[in-house]
Amino acid sequence: MAASVGVALLVAFLTPVVVYLLTRHPNKKPLPGNLPPGSLGLPMIGQSLGLLRAMRSNTGERWLRDRVDRYGPVSKLSLFGVPTVFVTGPAANKLVFASDALAPKQPRCLPLILGRRNILELVGDDYRRVRGAMMQFLKPDMLRRYVGTIDAEVARHLEGRWAGRRTVAVLPLMKLLTFDIIATLLFGLERGAVRERLAAAFADMLEGMWSVPLDLPFTTFRKSLRASARARRVLEATLAEKRARLERGEASPADDLVSCLASLRAEAEGDGGERLLTDEEIVDNAMVVLVAGHDTSSVLMTFMIRHLAGDPATLAAMVQEHDEIAKNKADGEALTWEDLHGMRFTWRVALETLRMIPPIFGSFRRAMEDIEFDGYCIPKGWQVFWASSVTHMDPSIFPDPDKFQASRFESQAPPYSFVAFGAGQRLCAGIEFARVETLVTMHRLLRRFRWRLCCEDKDNTFVRDPMPSPLNGLPIELQSRDMASPTPSKSACGL
């Protein structure tokens, strides 16, 4: 992890320096006089080192809070060689998620690895077209058909990876589970050689997701690019096979996400209309689904497990909820969509976990034009940096924000206040998929196991690299539900 942060640091500084030297112009437009308060700091360096150190030590939220205390909810700074405006609060979140005047700005390596036509890069009509297409499969009316499929994947995973083991490391196992669910439900890949090739390529690709984007021999980025190409070949072949089966009438658009996207047609004159998405867009967005669905859900479930280990009251309430559901089902009977409606408390626990530990700390946008916000000007071309945790930990919105209270989600949070899944037109297309996946997994875990943390976690320690990762992947000591609690094994901390 330390190495990847060092690499990220090189990306942050070397790339902007080169760009600055090549593109600076002596006659550039003067800056407006009503810029937000703050300082741009030293040329090229700005406040980047301070933010990176804070994120590494898990004090990023405190670093940003100190900034808000000093300058208010809108301030200027320099991050990674680019003048930036940091914004926070519901009004700022609305600007970030609902305005076409701001375009996404991802790290340079991401579109090179995932593809340039992915939904994270698109704006305006292209974004709405691609998101609308993906929602054809990810909407609740479609997902309700697949609760049993997800349930079967979870049961198989727990039997093969958890049962009979004294200790496990949670985060790596959760990542394996989310990959299997995506491969089965979204890509329609059976277990076998094709799925194994995709898994191997995906693992290699992840290593360079946050690397220096230098396509040179022996670099992590080169390895990730090659792995991305292998993964794309698997997905391209999968797409071709799905389309051929659809044309022969041997498959249905409801079989999986790839089949659904391949079947969609835009309204146009002619027989059947034109394809709504290009093959490039389908593959690029399948790559995004693979990365996003793999990381965010696995992090959420890992931190839910961690919290429940030290919160017996919340655990007892969740157990009661899931026992009530199980009472009306035969042994081995799969969960249904209706069962998920009885897991309201469990989902509130998930939302509270996301409030306190959002998988995505924050991200950047780029101003496409001069923007007036809160009495200040955000100049065209500047970055806008937002971070969900500052709003999530605002006591005026969420009283006692440092206290875990699932009950706060019994009513809906004010608009643009809870943004773990984005908001507005940028609301995550996979939110319902994540809900189903999380609820099914927690049901099967709670019905079968109890656990203890193997390592003391008095300081609530985890690092962001860039997503939150608990110490050693969160080793826990497992026990069957009907067994007495054992004494945690200190040796398990070395997992």
Side-chain angles (χ1 to χ4, degrees):
M1 290 184 183
S4 65
V5 171
V7 164
L9 194 61
L10 285 174
V11 175
F13 292 109
L14 294 181
T15 302
V17 167
V18 174
V19 172
Y20 172 76
L21 292 175
L22 293 176
T23 61
R24 63 178 178 169
H25 195 285
N27 298 318
K28 65 181 180 180
K29 177 183 175 182
L31 294 176
N34 59 333
L35 290 172
S39 168
L40 297 180
L42 295 174
M44 304 310 302
I45 297 176
Q47 290 78 16
S48 304
L49 285 174
L51 177 59
L52 287 172
R53 279 196 300 263
M55 289 188 66
R56 180 61 184 169
S57 61
N58 193 28
T59 58
E61 179 200 322
R62 188 187 315 157
W63 191 89
L64 292 175
R65 278 195 204 176
D66 291 344
R67 184 168 193 86
V68 173
D69 291 341
R70 183 175 182 182
Y71 297 115
V74 185
S75 61
K76 69 176 182 290
L77 67 164
S78 177
L79 291 175
F80 313 134
V82 181
T84 304
V85 173
F86 170 65
V87 295
T88 187
N93 294 335
K94 183 176 181 179
L95 172 72
V96 167
F97 291 114
S99 174
D100 282 338
L102 291 176
K105 184 181 182 187
Q106 305 297 324
R108 289 184 65 246
C109 55
L110 292 190
L112 297 175
I113 292 171
L114 299 179
R116 299 183 182 278
R117 298 297 297 174
N118 77 73
I119 195 170
L120 301 178
E121 297 288 319
L122 301 178
V123 296
D125 290 341
D126 279 344
Y127 169 79
R128 287 183 278 272
R129 173 176 54 83
V130 171
R131 187 182 189 280
M134 296 178 69
M135 286 301 298
Q136 292 298 309
F137 186 85
L138 295 173
K139 61 186 178 182
D141 286 349
M142 286 288 285
L143 289 177
R144 67 182 301 143
R145 310 179 188 186
Y146 305 106
V147 175
T149 302
I150 295 175
D151 193 15
E153 283 290 340
V154 173
R156 184 182 294 110
H157 170 82
L158 294 180
E159 182 62 32
R161 303 280 184 173
W162 295 61
R165 287 166 171 77
R166 184 181 179 191
T167 58
V168 297
V170 177
L171 184 57
L173 288 182
M174 284 300 174
K175 289 184 175 182
L176 285 174
L177 172 61
T178 54
F179 176 85
D180 283 339
I181 292 174
I182 290 169
T184 297
L185 181 59
L186 301 186
F187 297 164
L189 293 177
E190 300 290 340
R191 281 175 170 75
V194 174
R195 187 151 150 178
E196 290 173 3
R197 286 202 302 273
L198 179 62
F202 179 61
D204 289 342
M205 186 181 79
L206 285 179
E207 293 184 14
M209 288 289 291
W210 303 96
S211 61
V212 179
L214 295 177
D215 188 8
L216 298 174
F218 310 114
T219 62
T220 304
F221 182 68
R222 167 68 67 85
K223 180 181 179 181
S224 185
L225 276 181
R226 288 181 171 176
S228 171
R230 296 198 306 272
R232 294 181 71 87
R233 285 195 293 271
V234 172
L235 294 174
E236 287 165 356
T238 300
L239 173 59
E241 179 186 351
K242 301 289 184 185
R243 180 170 286 128
R245 287 175 56 81
L246 287 167
E247 291 172 354
R248 294 195 302 266
E250 299 172 356
S252 163
D255 286 349
D256 51 73
L257 176 64
V258 175
S259 295
C260 180
L261 296 180
S263 71
L264 294 178
R265 302 282 173 174
E267 293 183 4
E269 294 190 11
D271 185 19
E274 61 184 11
R275 289 177 182 169
L276 186 60
L277 302 183
T278 66
D279 285 3
E280 179 186 9
E281 287 171 336
I282 293 175
V283 173
D284 286 1
N285 287 286
M287 296 280 281
V288 168
V289 165
L290 188 56
V291 173
H294 175 266
D295 284 343
T296 53
S297 293
S298 59
V299 167
L300 166 59
M301 292 186 287
T302 296
F303 278 89
M304 287 179 72
I305 289 171
R306 191 184 75 151
H307 179 80
L308 291 175
D311 186 348
T314 299
L315 173 63
M318 284 180 62
V319 168
Q320 181 179 2
E321 181 173 81
H322 290 280
D323 284 352
E324 285 295 321
I325 293 167
K327 255 199 288 189
N328 299 317
K329 304 187 76 67
D331 288 344
E333 184 180 353
L335 290 169
T336 66
W337 182 260
E338 287 70 29
D339 292 329
L340 302 187
H341 288 297
M343 303 180 188
R344 293 183 176 88
F345 181 75
T346 301
W347 187 237
R348 291 198 291 268
V349 171
L351 295 178
E352 180 69 344
T353 304
L354 288 169
R355 182 189 68 83
M356 300 187 74
I357 309 176
I360 306 299
F361 179 78
S363 68
F364 293 94
R365 299 290 193 268
R366 181 179 68 257
M368 306 296 289
E369 58 190 53
D370 288 351
I371 300 172
E372 291 293 330
F373 177 71
D374 201 24
Y376 299 108
C377 178
I378 302 175
K380 178 180 179 180
W382 279 39
Q383 287 183 149
V384 173
F385 174 54
W386 71 276
S388 59
S389 59
V390 181
T391 309
H392 288 180
M393 302 302 286
D394 185 339
S396 67
I397 302 172
F398 299 102
D400 295 323
D402 294 315
K403 186 177 180 180
F404 191 99
Q405 291 181 328
S407 60
R408 70 175 82 243
F409 286 98
E410 289 176 358
S411 57
Q412 191 170 6
Y416 294 97
S417 294
F418 178 71
V419 290
F421 290 103
Q425 65 182 11
R426 288 273 170 182
L427 182 67
C428 175
I431 180 173
E432 198 64 25
F433 177 74
R435 187 181 77 91
V436 175
E437 187 177 42
T438 300
L439 294 179
V440 171
T441 301
M442 296 311 298
H443 176 82
R444 291 302 174 191
L445 274 171
L446 288 171
R447 291 287 299 159
R448 187 161 186 180
F449 299 109
R450 292 293 177 266
W451 55 86
R452 287 189 175 197
L453 301 182
C454 291
C455 303
E456 291 188 7
D457 198 16
K458 295 179 181 179
D459 299 323
N460 200 33
T461 53
F462 63 89
V463 297
R464 284 190 176 272
D465 192 32
M467 288 194 175
S469 179
L471 182 66
N472 297 325
L474 193 67
I476 60 173
E477 185 160 349
L478 282 175
Q479 59 187 93
S480 296
R481 181 176 172 178
D482 56 354
M483 290 176 60
S485 299
T487 302
S489 170
K490 293 183 180 179
S491 64
C493 295
L495 284 177

